[in-house]
Amino acid sequence: MGQARAYLLASLAAFYLITLATPQVTAYITDDLEITWGSSRVVDDSTCQQCIALSLNRGMTSAFRSKKTYLFGRIDIDIKLVPGNSAGTVTTFYTMTEGSWNFHNEIDIEFLGNSSGNPYTMHTNLYARGKGSREKGYRLQFDPTQDFHTYSIIWSQQSIQILVDNKLLRHIKNKESTGGAPYPNFQPMRVYCTIWDADDWATQGGRVKTDWSLAPFTAYFRNFKATSCSPNQGSKMCGQELDDAQKQQVKEVDANNKIYDYCADPKRRIGSAEDCQSQ
């Protein structure tokens, strides 16, 4: 009896240690995210993974946000964009502070809808202490409405990186200490995803309007992951200097996919030309 009991206790102890060592996976997408307004709902996609569906109707936008704020980190989310004629719509994934708007920080990824058969524009921007207008726009090399793709923001004290399917599109260096443009260094940010109507500017400068007979317009989001980075953490995930392969990626994207660069627009450029190129 005593030997059997000892064996049982040893087995329970081993099971407990295995349980502690097993990574804990978020059971529900709403464990980390909260729906904030509009026609937003949790659904299961065709692979039985939980998604949040954001829908846009005339006069009603939709949004969700992270329950936590982050001061430096890597944020990943899978997005499947509105298919067909999405002209006038904007689907967003961004981080933003919660203080005064005049001093707010924001890292933006926006997807500008288009008429059927024409590609989406991926629009990126940065605000630091209320100063923005650092837009760069890209054409994606795939149809972002046919399947989910992973979009990532890596934010550290040294730089901001924007990636698609783990390929680097944009690298923004922190040059503030050497007289460069403001950089988001001190305020934590919350993650937001939204869909809204911007047909006054989103598609061909506002020439193509939203066709409300096609509403609702719905985008899907899944696999949200937020990994904090300490200010002095030097891992690649937390934004250390680019290696040669990443530098080559940025050059190729600039040559083949970039369609707008505020650095080439003297009316919108912030800081010196040298500083601008690091943005």
Side-chain angles (χ1 to χ4, degrees):
M1 183 72 171
Q3 186 176 7
R5 183 181 180 188
Y7 178 80
L8 175 62
L9 290 174
S11 299
L12 290 172
F15 175 78
Y16 177 71
L17 290 173
I18 291 171
T19 301
L20 286 180
T22 302
Q24 299 301 302
V25 178
T26 300
Y28 299 101
I29 195 168
T30 50
D31 287 352
D32 295 317
L33 304 171
E34 58 185 4
I35 292 170
T36 50
W37 68 77
S39 181
S40 310
R41 64 194 189 280
V42 177
V43 298
D44 289 328
D45 71 8
S46 60
T47 61
C48 297
Q49 298 190 53
Q50 273 202 340
C51 305
I52 293 181
L54 295 184
S55 294
L56 171 67
N57 288 283
R58 186 188 288 272
M60 179 172 288
T61 63
S62 300
F64 65 85
R65 69 179 189 176
S66 62
K67 292 182 177 180
K68 295 180 180 179
T69 59
Y70 305 93
L71 181 60
F72 309 121
R74 175 171 180 147
I75 312 295
D76 302 283
I77 195 163
D78 296 350
I79 305 174
K80 186 177 180 181
L81 293 174
V82 178
N85 185 354
S86 58
T89 70
V90 177
T91 305
T92 69
F93 161 42
Y94 64 99
T95 65
M96 188 171 67
T97 54
E98 298 182 317
S100 167
W101 183 257
N102 291 332
F103 298 97
H104 89 288
N105 299 333
E106 188 173 336
I107 305 169
D108 280 342
I109 298 176
E110 298 179 330
F111 302 94
L112 312 185
N114 217 329
S115 52
S116 297
N118 293 311
Y120 268 83
T121 296
M122 179 176 164
H123 180 273
T124 66
N125 198 5
L126 171 65
Y127 285 82
R129 293 197 292 285
K131 295 182 179 180
S133 298
R134 283 182 257 186
E135 297 99 336
K136 292 189 180 184
Y138 305 87
R139 293 280 194 239
L140 299 173
Q141 293 180 314
F142 51 83
D143 183 347
T145 73
Q146 294 299 303
D147 203 352
F148 286 91
H149 292 269
T150 303
Y151 303 91
S152 308
I153 295 170
I154 303 176
W155 171 38
S156 73
Q157 278 191 325
Q158 292 76 38
S159 68
I160 294 164
Q161 297 179 23
I162 294 175
L163 303 92
V164 178
D165 292 333
N166 215 36
K167 180 179 180 179
L168 184 62
L169 263 72
R170 185 173 179 184
H171 182 228
I172 304 171
K173 294 181 181 179
N174 179 4
K175 294 281 191 176
E176 187 172 17
S177 63
T178 57
Y183 187 85
N185 248 337
F186 306 109
Q187 301 181 71
M189 292 196 266
R190 196 179 298 275
V191 182
Y192 292 84
C193 291
T194 68
I195 185 170
W196 48 287
D197 175 37
D199 73 359
D200 58 331
W201 65 270
T203 305
Q204 297 182 32
R207 291 187 294 275
V208 181
K209 302 297 184 181
T210 306
D211 183 352
W212 291 109
S213 70
L214 301 174
F217 302 96
T218 303
Y220 296 89
F221 302 77
R222 72 181 188 190
N223 291 339
F224 172 80
K225 183 179 180 182
T227 307
S228 295
C229 297
S230 65
N232 297 317
Q233 194 169 340
S235 71
K236 190 172 185 178
M237 182 189 68
C238 292
Q240 68 178 15
E241 284 297 315
L242 303 186
D243 58 28
D244 290 341
Q246 290 174 311
K247 291 176 182 178
Q248 184 60 32
Q249 280 184 356
V250 173
K251 288 181 180 178
E252 291 175 358
V253 167
D254 283 353
N256 300 319
N257 302 92
K258 187 170 66 176
I259 59 171
Y260 176 79
D261 189 338
Y262 81 103
C263 290
D265 187 345
K267 294 181 179 179
R268 307 198 72 175
R269 193 169 65 200
I270 294 176
S272 67
E274 181 182 358
D275 174 55
C276 185
Q277 292 301 324
S278 72
Q279 301 296 307

